Amino acid sequence: MKALVYYCRWHEASLRLRGRDSTAVWGHLVYNTETPDETMQAFRFELKTWRLTLQTEDGEETIQLDEMGVVQSEN
């Protein structure tokens, strides 16, 4: 989960975890936390592969992270 925490730091987001199982965690990335402009984006993060799936207005976007939370590829 360290890669997800780093990804949030690089993108100035906070984590709000809503659930966890043996393969993934899910919840919301929160931007501009505790301000009138606060926005949330739903996500699912696969623990073994470091794949992050983000909900967007157009559907889903899946990105591959490295161990430091840097985006390696986007699908």
Side-chain angles (χ1 to χ4, degrees):
M1 199 163 115
K2 182 171 71 170
L4 177 60
V5 172
Y6 281 133
Y7 177 85
C8 289
R9 283 185 186 171
W10 309 145
H11 291 89
E12 298 180 2
S14 296
L15 278 174
R16 288 195 186 152
L17 296 178
R18 302 291 183 212
R20 178 184 185 124
D21 63 21
S22 62
T23 62
V25 295
W26 55 90
H28 293 94
L29 301 179
V30 183
Y31 301 92
N32 300 315
T33 306
E34 298 179 15
T35 69
D37 297 329
E38 178 178 286
T39 59
M40 294 193 312
Q41 183 175 31
F43 76 89
R44 178 178 173 85
F45 180 70
E46 297 174 21
L47 297 168
K48 293 182 181 174
T49 62
W50 298 333
R51 288 169 42 118
L52 176 62
T53 302
L54 302 168
Q55 295 294 321
T56 65
E57 293 177 7
D58 300 327
E60 292 184 343
E61 174 186 5
T62 301
I63 55 178
Q64 179 66 52
L65 302 179
D66 71 4
E67 67 275 0
M68 294 302 294
V70 177
V71 176
Q72 298 300 298
S73 65
E74 296 183 33
N75 296 345

